[in-house]
Amino acid sequence: MDRRHTSNKLLSVDAWTLTATIVTRPATGDVAELHERAPVILPSDFVDEWVDAGTEGDQSLVDAAVDASTPQLEQLEFHEVAKLTGDGPELMKPSS
């Protein structure tokens, strides 16, 4: 088996490579006031189709995901938060 040395670990070339991707779309509604792009937020009934290895990953799938994300995006709630200082969960508390 072919092995490669990376970061002091031997990895099998046949091993899974874990990756992550954030698919974005033009922002709509209140989100557009914050930024011109927004994440594609998949509704729970679309997730299985999106991650199914047997699904053709073509432009029509991406278009369907963007369309399915519109209601999710429009339901987001916003509140003002305190000025960024430090790092931690307290940064998500509403501003008083």
Side-chain angles (χ1 to χ4, degrees):
M1 179 185 296
D2 183 16
R3 293 189 179 271
R4 306 212 176 144
H5 187 77
T6 305
S7 301
N8 296 322
K9 296 179 183 178
L10 286 176
L11 301 176
S12 168
V13 173
D14 297 329
W16 284 88
T17 301
L18 300 178
T19 63
T21 301
I22 297 176
V23 179
T24 63
R25 54 164 295 157
T28 62
D30 293 339
V31 176
E33 294 179 30
L34 301 173
H35 198 276
E36 65 186 34
R37 304 290 299 169
V40 171
I41 304 169
L42 297 178
S44 57
D45 62 351
F46 196 89
V47 171
D48 287 341
E49 181 177 357
W50 183 260
V51 299
D52 183 351
T55 299
E56 179 72 28
D58 58 11
Q59 187 63 48
S60 66
L61 177 65
V62 174
D63 293 342
V66 169
D67 290 343
S69 76
T70 299
Q72 307 296 110
L73 188 60
E74 292 175 351
Q75 292 177 20
L76 291 178
E77 294 181 14
F78 300 91
H79 59 267
E80 189 174 339
V81 295
K83 183 178 178 183
L84 292 176
T85 57
D87 185 22
E90 65 278 0
L91 295 177
M92 295 187 295
K93 292 180 181 176
S95 180
S96 47

